Amino acid sequence: MNSYLTFKVVNEVFAVNVSNVMEIREYEEPKPVPQKMEFISGLIDFRDEVIPLIDTGLKFNLGKVEASQNSVIVVLNLKKDGEEETFRVAIMADAVSDVIEIEEGRLKTIRHDYKPEYVAGSFKNEETFVLVIDPDQVFTINEVVEMDKIIASAKK
């Protein structure tokens, strides 16, 4: 059994393994960043560090997430591609749904020609089709390097 946090982005429902989730918090307006990647909304403070706030709708090609009173920020701990080193990002979601326990056998694979690399599979929860993301695959190594540069320049 694996535990997944489900969240809604635009009209889609996604799930991420709870082992990657560090915190769920109310939406807060991020600090603007002058030179940024399209899907970065800005920067937020998280404990003793500054991390990028990702507009998950833009990153997943679903359209911009419009902040509302239900919007939340989910802080994820991710591994850099092929490394043990981790980094943190915050993602915007229209709402967080539930934590669901899923048996490994219920997770269905999706053919590679129909999905991005970061979609690990899917499952059906009641009448809802849920896409399970592999958060370590959401960002390319070039995007991680660029985010590091943005954070470093904001600290100056």
Side-chain angles (χ1 to χ4, degrees):
M1 292 288 256
N2 286 310
S3 298
Y4 293 95
L5 174 71
T6 60
F7 56 95
K8 186 175 181 186
V9 176
V10 188
N11 294 319
E12 300 291 335
V13 178
F14 293 91
V16 63
N17 195 302
V18 296
S19 65
N20 293 98
V21 178
M22 296 190 72
E23 185 173 288
I24 302 168
R25 56 164 73 171
E26 290 181 16
Y27 176 78
E28 64 186 77
E29 196 65 36
K31 295 176 182 91
V33 180
Q35 297 172 324
K36 62 179 182 175
M37 300 154 87
E38 179 187 6
F39 58 82
I40 296 179
S41 296
L43 300 174
I44 64 168
D45 291 317
F46 176 68
R47 299 180 185 164
D48 292 335
E49 63 184 309
V50 175
I51 62 174
L53 177 60
I54 307 301
D55 184 321
T56 316
L58 290 177
K59 179 62 182 157
F60 293 168
N61 294 315
L62 300 171
K64 186 171 176 45
V65 173
E66 298 297 334
S68 73
Q69 67 185 56
N70 293 329
S71 297
V72 294
I73 293 174
V74 180
V75 179
L76 299 176
N77 192 45
L78 309 176
K79 285 187 177 180
K80 291 185 178 180
D81 193 32
E83 298 179 26
E84 287 302 309
E85 185 181 351
T86 62
F87 68 103
R88 276 143 300 289
V89 297
I91 61 171
M92 290 176 60
D94 290 310
V96 168
S97 304
D98 295 306
V99 172
I100 299 174
E101 300 285 328
I102 300 294
E103 294 176 25
E104 204 59 43
R106 277 191 57 203
L107 195 60
K108 307 289 185 210
T109 58
I110 301 172
R111 285 190 28 195
H112 284 295
D113 27 339
Y114 292 112
K115 71 175 183 79
E117 289 296 315
Y118 57 82
V119 174
S122 67
F123 64 89
K124 196 165 186 176
N125 183 39
E126 296 170 5
E127 295 302 312
T128 305
F129 183 67
V130 180
L131 294 172
V132 177
I133 63 170
D134 177 348
D136 295 332
Q137 298 299 316
V138 171
F139 302 101
T140 66
I141 192 66
N142 291 340
E143 289 171 335
V144 173
V145 167
E146 191 62 30
M147 285 189 282
D148 284 344
K149 288 178 185 175
I150 290 168
I151 291 166
S153 69
K155 290 179 181 178
K156 291 179 181 177

